[in-house]
Amino acid sequence: MNRRSVLGLLGAVPLFGIGAAARASAAPLMLNPRDKRDAAFIFRKVLYSLDDRLIFWWMDIVRYQQVANELTPQWRLLTGSIAQVTPGADDATYTVKSLAIPFYLDLETNKILEKYKNPITGETVEPRTFGTGGPPSVTQFTIDGADEGPPRAGIVSAERREPIGPVIVQGDECWVRADSMAKIMFQGERKPFHVSDMSDYHAKWSDVTIPEIKSAPARKYFVDVLSWQRFLNMHEQPGGNVGRGPGGKVFSFDDMPDDWKKLVAERAPKIAKDPRSALAG
């Protein structure tokens, strides 16, 4: 069975747990995960929302260096993002505005990684200890996936593939695969930067099919494989970076991980005080 085959798929038959049935007052949505339009709807409800509420995602990642298929831990990447949907013509057409707030942390002390001694080159470099990635990003979604628009400043060209799905359902468990593959050419570089982000999102199928729930509670597991991060100054050194870690979606700043909230309050108090205004830019 290939990855697009689904055990337990019953076409357009909703699946419920007892608790979900008790919460539903309207008829459940009749969704077929193998249908392209339904899959786009499920993707939106699990990753984002059908309305314009603020969505918060966190990820707790360990970053590794990969040399000759050997992985060595480098640092902890604790990141959070704030997102909001602007609806479009239909449930598969919408815009997401998001703001990412990452922190590089020492694996032993859990403190901000101000400097990092590269064990391969011996050079001490300064990681990006805090950043919002510039202004909030805006991504257009259609039934075919994401379109992040023209390249940002400092990028000569960017080729991306961000398809939707597949959606996999087993009983009351729903997984949504959301991968992003990119080849980016930065100004002043001779070779493109490659990044492959691979995420599996998980939600309850009963939450997805209940009309009253506009954004399904969800968790994710994240893996990425990428070229050496540019601040490492690795140049022609073979290898690259790998990351992995869990994540989750919540609906308020207060429900984000304590470590991340503390760092945001210290480094960006305006964001901690008013996330909505920060996202508005």
Side-chain angles (χ1 to χ4, degrees):
M1 179 176 292
N2 63 37
R3 72 176 190 167
R4 292 185 182 272
S5 299
V6 183
L7 290 173
L9 260 184
L10 301 178
V13 178
L15 306 172
F16 284 106
I18 295 174
R23 286 178 293 163
S25 60
L29 300 172
M30 305 296 284
L31 300 172
N32 180 356
R34 287 177 289 191
D35 177 81
K36 188 174 182 180
R37 184 162 295 279
D38 283 356
F41 172 86
I42 295 165
F43 176 96
R44 175 177 173 179
K45 192 168 181 178
V46 172
L47 274 68
Y48 302 109
S49 179
L50 300 180
D51 56 22
D52 63 354
R53 74 185 67 190
L54 289 189
I55 299 295
F56 296 80
W57 274 99
W58 60 267
M59 289 194 297
D60 199 338
I61 298 166
V62 174
R63 177 69 71 208
Y64 301 83
Q65 66 180 33
Q66 178 185 4
V67 178
N69 295 321
E70 182 176 349
L71 298 177
T72 303
Q74 290 180 298
W75 53 75
R76 178 188 182 197
L77 176 58
L78 181 61
T79 185
S81 64
I82 310 167
Q84 187 175 34
V85 171
T86 299
D90 53 48
D91 288 335
T93 306
Y94 54 98
T95 302
V96 175
K97 190 175 186 179
S98 61
L99 178 66
I101 308 164
F103 296 96
Y104 288 64
L105 305 177
D106 186 279
L107 283 170
E108 294 184 1
T109 67
N110 209 36
K111 294 182 178 179
I112 290 286
L113 194 64
E114 304 286 358
K115 296 184 182 296
Y116 177 75
K117 186 173 182 179
N118 188 327
I120 296 176
T121 66
E123 180 184 6
T124 297
V125 297
E126 296 183 2
R128 183 180 60 176
T129 56
F130 165 78
T132 63
S137 63
V138 177
T139 304
Q140 306 284 340
F141 284 90
T142 68
I143 195 171
D144 295 313
D147 180 359
E148 299 192 16
R152 291 183 292 177
I155 296 177
V156 177
S157 64
E159 300 175 16
R160 299 180 184 272
R161 291 184 293 110
E162 299 186 10
I164 290 175
V167 175
I168 301 169
V169 177
Q170 174 65 41
D172 195 34
E173 310 302 321
C174 174
W175 291 268
V176 179
R177 188 156 296 156
D179 296 340
S180 175
M181 312 298 178
K183 182 172 72 172
I184 304 169
M185 181 61 73
F186 289 98
Q187 288 181 352
E189 298 289 341
R190 292 184 297 172
K191 293 183 178 181
F193 181 89
H194 292 266
V195 56
S196 297
D197 291 346
M198 296 165 282
S199 297
D200 286 305
Y201 294 82
H202 176 263
K204 292 295 184 182
W205 184 239
S206 49
D207 287 336
V208 173
T209 56
I210 292 176
E212 290 90 346
I213 296 177
K214 301 302 181 183
S215 181
R219 294 290 181 261
K220 69 180 291 187
Y221 198 79
F222 173 85
V223 175
D224 68 352
V225 180
L226 59 153
S227 304
W228 292 114
Q229 292 191 254
R230 298 171 70 209
F231 68 78
L232 289 171
N233 299 329
M234 297 297 279
H235 306 298
E236 302 300 319
Q237 169 68 42
N241 288 118
V242 175
R244 67 169 186 174
K249 179 173 73 173
V250 297
F251 302 102
S252 74
F253 181 89
D254 292 340
D255 289 331
M256 291 289 278
D258 290 340
D259 286 355
W260 183 83
K261 288 188 297 184
K262 181 180 178 181
L263 289 167
V264 175
E266 292 172 353
R267 300 269 174 152
K270 290 183 179 180
I271 295 177
K273 184 177 180 180
D274 192 350
R276 186 176 295 274
S277 293
L279 182 60

